[in-house]
Coordinates of all heavy atoms in Angstrom, one line a residue:
P98 N 86.0 73.8 99.2 CA 84.6 73.5 99.0 C 83.7 73.7 100.2 O 84.0 73.4 101.3 CB 84.7 71.9 98.7 CG 86.1 71.7 98.2 CD 86.9 72.7 99.0
G99 N 82.5 74.3 99.9 CA 81.6 74.7 100.9 C 81.9 75.9 101.8 O 81.2 76.1 102.7
K100 N 83.0 76.6 101.5 CA 83.4 77.7 102.3 C 83.5 78.9 101.4 O 83.7 78.9 100.2 CB 84.8 77.5 103.0 CG 84.8 76.3 104.0 CD 86.1 76.2 104.6 CE 86.1 75.2 105.8 NZ 87.4 75.0 106.5
Q101 N 83.4 80.1 102.0 CA 83.6 81.3 101.3 C 85.0 81.6 101.0 O 86.0 81.1 101.6 CB 83.1 82.5 102.2 CG 81.6 82.5 102.5 CD 81.1 83.7 103.1 OE1 81.8 84.3 103.9 NE2 79.9 84.2 102.7
R102 N 85.3 82.4 99.9 CA 86.5 82.8 99.5 C 87.1 83.7 100.6 O 86.4 84.6 101.0 CB 86.5 83.5 98.2 CG 87.9 83.8 97.6 CD 87.8 84.4 96.2 NE 87.2 83.5 95.3 CZ 87.1 83.6 93.9 NH1 87.7 84.7 93.4 NH2 86.4 82.7 93.2
E103 N 88.4 83.5 101.0 CA 89.0 84.3 102.0 C 90.4 84.9 101.4 O 91.0 84.2 100.6 CB 89.3 83.5 103.2 CG 90.4 82.4 103.1 CD 90.8 81.8 104.5 OE1 90.6 82.5 105.5 OE2 91.4 80.7 104.4
L104 N 90.7 86.0 101.9 CA 92.0 86.6 101.6 C 93.0 85.9 102.4 O 93.0 85.9 103.7 CB 92.0 88.1 102.0 CG 93.3 88.8 101.8 CD1 93.8 88.8 100.3 CD2 93.2 90.2 102.3
V105 N 94.0 85.4 101.8 CA 95.2 84.7 102.4 C 96.3 85.7 102.7 O 96.8 85.8 103.8 CB 95.7 83.6 101.5 CG1 96.9 82.9 102.2 CG2 94.6 82.6 101.3
T106 N 96.6 86.4 101.7 CA 97.7 87.4 101.9 C 97.7 88.4 100.7 O 97.1 88.1 99.6 CB 99.1 86.7 101.8 OG1 100.2 87.7 101.9 CG2 99.3 85.9 100.6
N107 N 98.2 89.6 100.9 CA 98.4 90.6 99.8 C 99.6 91.4 100.1 O 100.2 91.4 101.2 CB 97.2 91.4 99.6 CG 96.8 92.3 100.7 OD1 97.6 92.5 101.7 ND2 95.6 92.9 100.7
I108 N 100.1 92.1 99.1 CA 101.3 92.9 99.1 C 101.0 94.2 98.3 O 100.5 94.1 97.2 CB 102.5 92.1 98.6 CG1 103.8 92.9 98.7 CG2 102.3 91.6 97.1 CD1 105.0 92.1 98.5
S109 N 101.3 95.3 98.9 CA 101.0 96.6 98.3 C 102.0 96.9 97.3 O 103.1 96.2 97.2 CB 101.0 97.7 99.4 OG 102.3 97.9 99.9
S110 N 101.8 98.0 96.6 CA 102.8 98.4 95.6 C 104.0 98.9 96.2 O 105.1 98.8 95.6 CB 102.2 99.7 94.8 OG 101.9 100.7 95.7
G111 N 104.1 99.3 97.6 CA 105.2 99.6 98.3 C 105.9 98.4 99.0 O 106.9 98.6 99.6
G112 N 105.4 97.2 98.8 CA 106.0 96.0 99.3 C 105.6 95.6 100.7 O 106.2 94.7 101.3
R113 N 104.5 96.2 101.3 CA 104.1 95.8 102.6 C 103.1 94.6 102.4 O 102.2 94.7 101.6 CB 103.3 96.9 103.3 CG 104.3 98.0 103.8 CD 103.5 99.1 104.6 NE 103.0 98.5 105.8 CZ 103.5 98.6 107.0 NH1 104.7 99.3 107.1 NH2 102.9 98.0 108.1
A114 N 103.3 93.6 103.2 CA 102.5 92.4 103.2 C 101.6 92.1 104.4 O 102.0 92.6 105.5 CB 103.5 91.2 103.0
N115 N 100.5 91.5 104.1 CA 99.6 91.2 105.2 C 99.2 89.7 105.0 O 99.2 89.2 103.9 CB 98.3 92.0 105.2 CG 98.5 93.4 105.3 OD1 98.9 94.0 106.3 ND2 98.4 94.2 104.2
Y116 N 99.0 89.0 106.1 CA 98.6 87.6 106.1 C 97.5 87.3 107.1 O 97.3 87.9 108.2 CB 99.8 86.7 106.6 CG 101.0 86.9 105.7 CD1 102.0 87.9 106.0 CD2 101.2 86.1 104.6 CE1 103.2 88.0 105.3 CE2 102.4 86.2 103.8 CZ 103.3 87.2 104.2 OH 104.5 87.3 103.4
V117 N 96.6 86.3 106.6 CA 95.6 85.8 107.6 C 96.3 85.1 108.6 O 97.4 84.4 108.4 CB 94.6 85.0 106.8 CG1 95.2 83.7 106.3 CG2 93.3 84.7 107.7
D118 N 95.8 85.1 109.9 CA 96.5 84.5 111.0 C 96.9 83.0 110.8 O 97.9 82.5 111.2 CB 95.6 84.6 112.3 CG 95.6 86.0 112.8 OD1 96.5 86.9 112.5 OD2 94.7 86.3 113.7
S119 N 96.0 82.3 110.0 CA 96.2 80.8 109.9 C 97.4 80.5 109.1 O 97.9 79.3 109.1 CB 95.0 80.2 109.3 OG 94.7 80.7 108.0
V120 N 98.0 81.4 108.3 CA 99.2 81.2 107.5 C 100.4 81.9 108.0 O 101.5 81.7 107.4 CB 98.9 81.4 106.0 CG1 97.6 80.7 105.6 CG2 98.8 82.9 105.7
K121 N 100.3 82.8 109.0 CA 101.5 83.5 109.4 C 102.6 82.6 109.8 O 102.4 81.6 110.5 CB 101.1 84.5 110.5 CG 100.3 85.7 110.1 CD 99.9 86.6 111.3 CE 99.1 87.8 110.8 NZ 98.7 88.7 111.9
G122 N 103.8 82.9 109.3 CA 104.9 82.1 109.7 C 105.1 80.9 108.7 O 106.3 80.3 108.8
R123 N 104.2 80.6 107.9 CA 104.3 79.5 107.0 C 104.3 79.9 105.5 O 105.0 79.4 104.7 CB 103.2 78.5 107.2 CG 103.1 77.9 108.6 CD 102.0 76.8 108.6 NE 100.7 77.3 108.3 CZ 100.0 76.8 107.4 NH1 100.4 75.9 106.5 NH2 98.7 77.3 107.2
F124 N 103.6 81.0 105.2 CA 103.5 81.5 103.8 C 104.2 82.8 103.6 O 104.2 83.7 104.6 CB 102.0 81.7 103.4 CG 101.2 80.5 103.2 CD1 101.6 79.2 103.7 CD2 99.9 80.5 102.7 CE1 100.8 78.1 103.5 CE2 99.1 79.4 102.5 CZ 99.5 78.2 103.0
T125 N 104.7 83.0 102.5 CA 105.4 84.3 102.2 C 105.0 84.8 100.8 O 105.1 84.1 99.8 CB 106.9 84.2 102.2 OG1 107.3 83.7 103.5 CG2 107.6 85.5 102.0
I126 N 104.5 86.0 100.7 CA 104.2 86.6 99.4 C 105.3 87.5 99.0 O 105.9 88.2 99.8 CB 102.8 87.4 99.5 CG1 102.4 87.8 98.1 CG2 102.9 88.6 100.4 CD1 101.0 88.4 98.0
S127 N 105.6 87.5 97.7 CA 106.6 88.4 97.2 C 106.2 88.8 95.8 O 105.3 88.2 95.1 CB 107.9 87.7 97.2 OG 107.9 86.6 96.3
R128 N 106.8 89.8 95.3 CA 106.5 90.3 93.9 C 107.8 90.7 93.2 O 108.8 91.2 93.9 CB 105.5 91.5 94.0 CG 106.1 92.8 94.6 CD 104.9 93.8 94.8 NE 104.3 94.2 93.6 CZ 103.1 94.8 93.4 NH1 102.4 95.0 94.5 NH2 102.7 95.1 92.3

């Protein structure tokens, strides 16, 4: 609430993942 939408993480078609610094080490994306 009151904040802009931010990218947390994504994963490419090849399986490479990126994370915003605030969630690194805590969140894991998978497909």
Side-chain angles (χ1 to χ4, degrees):
K100 296 185 177 181
Q101 293 188 327
R102 187 175 300 189
E103 68 168 343
L104 174 65
V105 179
T106 178
N107 62 13
I108 183 167
S109 73
S110 61
R113 290 187 63 100
N115 302 288
Y116 301 90
V117 67
D118 285 344
S119 60
V120 309
K121 286 181 178 177
R123 300 188 298 120
F124 290 11
T125 304
I126 189 171
S127 61
R128 64 191 297 160

